[in-house]
Amino acid sequence: MPVTAWSYLLFLLPSLAASAPSFSSVNPRTWRSRQASNTQTKRWSNDSYPTSSQLCAAPGAQAMNAPYPNVWSGLTGEETASVTAWLFSQPQFNLTVTAEAGDWDNSLLMIELMEPNKTDVLNYLENSGPLPSRYAHVIINHRASEEPVYQDLLVGPLPLQHDTVTSEPLTYPYTRKTEGKVRNLDADDETWQAWKANVSSTILDITLDLWNGSYLGLDNDTLVVFGIDPLWQDDGITRWDQFWNSQESVQESLTLLPLGLYFTTNATGRDASKWTLDGWLYNSIFYETTEAFRAAYYSPGFVKNGANVDGSWAYSDQEGEIPALDTNFPPISIAPSGSRYFTDPDQNYVKWMDFEFYTSFSRDTGLSLHDIKYKGDRIIYELSLQEALAHYAGNDPVQSGTAYLDTYYGFGPFAFELIKGYDCPAYATYMNSSFYNGETTRTHIDSICLFETEADYPIQRHSTSEYASATKNIYFTIRTVATVGNYDYMFSYEFYMDGSINIVVRASGYIQSAYFAKNEDYGYQIHDFLSGSMHDHVLNFKIDFDILGTSNTMTTAANVAATEVYPWSKGKARNTMKLQRGTIENEDQAKINWASNGATAFTVVNTDAKNIYGESRGYRIHPSSPTIHLTVENSSNLEKAANWAKNDLYVTRQKDTEPKSSHPYQSQDVFNPPIDFDAFFDGESLVQEDIVVWANVGMHHVPHTGDLPNTVFTTAHSSLVLSPLNYLLGSPTRETVNMVKLLYGGDEGTTVETFGQGTAECAVPSVQGLMPDLTQYVGDQVIRKFPYDPNHPYFETESI
């Protein structure tokens, strides 16, 4: 219900306002008799609103107890502390406290719950088996070696008992069996920082002449140097780096300030004395040595390009002529009767209408949903982000060489406090998230929100010459936002009254731009010397369907052109279309792209669970806005590290040994990554098996002037909807009382049927009171990708 700042309105509310319903209560679904005395349309003048002394309900979820303990819930503080203490007591790990660790020390990067195997969880839930044992997933950064590695360990069971603690390399979830180890290409970060500052110092005269700037590794540097991710790995370890102008304010405009000068380094091995500077690139001319570059620079006719300079054009603060009436306070949403959903915050359990689920939170991928039930039956065992790729292209080696795999940086640590009233409605319920960092557990307060809202269109309507009817489109959202480097990713899971689930990803924040010189084939010129560097965002989600059990099949139904002769067509062929049904029989057929013209529907069904008409009950998966897979074929940057990005959909047999499609350190060994997703596909049958769908959303992004200063959520978004198909015998939207039927005319006017939707009154004494106090926002300070220090990735304010 919209409210304006000048109005002190009284609202007609559902009878829920009188008392919160219990978990087992059922709202009456009765037809109200058509009596003019209580259904006739009534109109209120501006000075004749009904009055009430009852204030509108305070926000906050209804309380309830979860049906069972959350087996996916993160480690408690006590569990994390015990694992940390045990690891430091083990001499073989040779650990140094993170804050004191240097390039040649071992440190703890992560401790979090190792999610239990699905087979163990289902045995507990469905067969009265034991509660699955809890283990810690540990990542140690082994740098005290000539060959530094990240190592995954499994430690437990929890709670730790001194005589029963085990620790072993974590290998079973990965296709590469190397004692849970993957090489660490960032171990020598301190040495690298000194190296690139020294390289820059050798051309100080040039940087001063070009930009009146310097990069010497000092606090008063006016330039920044950073480059590709992942590093090139096909001929030793090759780096390409670029000079960028420094931002001049707290606004993170750095990625809009490329300067167009690049250098390349062979940084193979840990002995920096063996590293070599292998050349310079400027204005698309490559110089093999610093001497060659300097000689050319000071020769007659050398072309000096202009600089991208920070300024208000790169800031997101208000600027320009204010539109008419824009200073009037805009409409806002409220939930005057309070929430209509339940939570158990101790178990991270949520229930809204006929949906219920558990949540978990991890360093790599942030928010995940588990055991999603609809009308009491599980439809999805796990719904979770797996990886997010941003693959760039350009005529320079930095844009051409960049393909971020963002779980390397992690979504969890960058899911900051949400801005109430902006990221989510002010009346939403907010939850915290936690993650391990430097021998502590850090908490981001109010970083997940839950809210029910009304769409700006009804979920169904119809008009005739006799009546008009419509049903409100009320839906429920759980949302989080992660600012990973320059991009802000908003993740929303939306639940609808028709049984659908919408997976929505939106992207905002600053683009990573390119220097415009000779970059016309890769982007538009969007500022003085700036190109909007083209890139693909591809985000992979795991959807482990369990439609009425774990025996499921992926079916297809394609609209195909056809020419048919019918018994009634008198021998004449008619051009028409038919429904062509099929089945994804095995994993050899299970790498799928959306059909041209959206002609093929893909549905996960249980062929052993048919409705009364003989149709298999299931859930269809299809785009609700444009989705993409990676444009680049056989990426030179990624090699085997992102094989999940090559198609729109994949279907595999569920295995406890294949819980993830990606690993946070895929970028460290792209030719032999910890998880080669292609290895999942070995021809196994997918007919009435426990199957998993791996689905991609994303967007082709060619930034334009409208992306300055920030990309907007309205266009940079992608989504998939999971919707029941032959699952129910009719539309469940008929069950809600949030509908109206207007029967026209009659001597007593239009008759209004409201189907049991009660009316109650409450007062909003002050609209300002509905707005959150944003002076209490905590916020965070972080070191992000630009430049990124892998040994100290998370920096929070003292209050976090």
Side-chain angles (χ1 to χ4, degrees), residues 557-579:
N559 292 16
V560 297
T563 300
E564 293 288 328
V565 176
Y566 300 99
W568 45 264
S569 62
K570 299 181 179 181
K572 293 182 179 180
R574 295 185 61 83
N575 295 328
T576 183
M577 58 184 173
K578 297 176 67 174
L579 193 64

Side-chain angles (χ1 to χ4, degrees), residues 177-409:
K177 308 301 182 184
T178 53
E179 297 183 332
K181 297 178 180 178
V182 59
R183 67 184 179 185
N184 178 356
L185 299 181
D186 293 310
D188 298 298
D189 185 71
E190 293 178 8
T191 305
W192 170 247
Q193 298 303 324
W195 168 272
K196 66 181 183 180
N198 182 64
V199 169
S200 177
S201 70
T202 66
I203 59 160
L204 178 60
D205 55 324
I206 295 176
T207 64
L208 287 171
D209 184 61
L210 276 175
W211 313 305
N212 193 31
S214 64
Y215 178 75
L216 303 174
L218 304 175
D219 292 340
N220 62 349
D221 283 341
T222 57
L223 304 176
V224 178
V225 174
F226 66 86
I228 60 173
D229 178 5
L231 304 181
W232 293 357
Q233 302 162 33
D234 52 348
D235 184 17
I237 303 301
T238 300
R239 293 178 178 265
W240 272 101
D241 286 88
Q242 178 178 200
F243 285 82
W244 305 71
N245 234 332
S246 291
Q247 63 195 47
E248 297 177 354
S249 78
V250 296
Q251 305 220 31
E252 289 194 326
S253 52
L254 172 62
T255 58
L256 298 180
L257 307 174
L259 293 172
L261 174 61
Y262 315 84
F263 65 89
T264 182
T265 303
N266 186 315
T268 306
R270 302 204 69 182
D271 185 352
S273 69
K274 297 180 180 179
W275 295 355
T276 57
L277 175 65
D278 290 349
W280 296 85
L281 180 71
Y282 187 75
N283 205 17
S284 296
I285 301 173
F286 182 72
Y287 306 94
E288 292 187 353
T289 65
T290 303
E291 292 73 22
F293 176 43
R294 174 172 281 103
Y297 185 84
Y298 288 109
S299 64
F302 183 86
V303 177
K304 300 178 183 180
N305 293 323
N308 288 300
V309 180
D310 201 15
S312 62
W313 66 274
Y315 303 159
S316 58
D317 294 341
Q318 195 281 326
E319 187 174 270
E321 184 177 352
I322 299 174
L325 301 183
D326 191 49
T327 55
N328 290 357
F329 202 90
I332 61 173
S333 299
I334 64 170
S337 62
S339 67
R340 306 198 307 169
Y341 53 90
F342 301 85
T343 65
D344 182 340
D346 292 333
Q347 299 299 330
N348 293 319
Y349 171 80
V350 179
K351 179 176 174 60
W352 174 77
M353 301 298 170
D354 287 328
F355 283 104
E356 56 189 299
F357 55 86
Y358 290 80
T359 71
S360 68
F361 199 86
S362 72
R363 186 220 82 108
D364 296 347
T365 58
L367 178 68
S368 298
L369 309 186
H370 304 270
D371 197 21
I372 302 174
K373 291 183 178 179
Y374 178 59
K375 293 186 177 293
D377 291 316
R378 180 185 306 113
I379 55 174
I380 296 173
Y381 176 79
E382 178 185 354
L383 174 55
S384 60
L385 176 70
Q386 297 292 296
E387 184 59 273
L389 164 66
H391 198 304
Y392 289 76
N395 77 323
D396 69 74
V398 169
Q399 298 306 312
S400 178
T402 296
Y404 296 118
L405 293 169
D406 278 333
T407 61
Y408 174 70
Y409 307 98

Side-chain angles (χ1 to χ4, degrees), residues 606-667:
N606 188 330
T607 59
D608 296 328
K610 299 183 183 297
N611 64 21
I612 61 175
Y613 308 112
E615 298 288 354
S616 296
R617 299 170 64 188
Y619 258 71
R620 180 184 172 189
I621 178 170
H622 53 101
S624 51
S625 66
T627 66
I628 71 162
H629 57 269
L630 183 62
T631 302
V632 181
E633 297 180 357
N634 301 316
S635 168
S636 300
N637 297 329
L638 296 172
E639 295 295 338
K640 298 179 180 180
N643 286 333
W644 50 266
K646 296 185 293 186
N647 296 88
D648 294 320
L649 291 178
Y650 303 84
V651 189
T652 63
R653 178 93 67 91
Q654 193 282 329
K655 295 179 181 177
D656 290 342
T657 55
E658 296 175 350
K660 303 287 184 182
S661 63
S662 189
H663 185 281
Y665 298 117
Q666 297 277 92
S667 63

Side-chain angles (χ1 to χ4, degrees), residues 252 255 390 392 404 406 411 414 481-490 506-512 533 535 537 699 701 703 707 711 716 784-786:
E252 289 194 326
T255 58
Y392 289 76
Y404 296 118
D406 278 333
F411 284 86
F414 302 123
V481 176
T483 303
V484 186
N486 52 318
Y487 265 106
D488 294 64
Y489 291 98
M490 176 179 283
R506 298 183 184 274
S508 187
Y510 282 94
I511 62 171
Q512 176 174 305
S533 184
H535 56 284
H537 291 284
M699 58 216 79
H701 192 183
D707 285 284
T711 294
R784 313 185 194 229
K785 292 188 233 177
F786 312 108

Side-chain angles (χ1 to χ4, degrees), residues 488-491 504-508 699 713-718:
D488 294 64
Y489 291 98
M490 176 179 283
F491 298 96
V504 185
V505 178
R506 298 183 184 274
S508 187
M699 58 216 79
F713 279 147
T714 49
T715 54
H717 79 282
S718 182

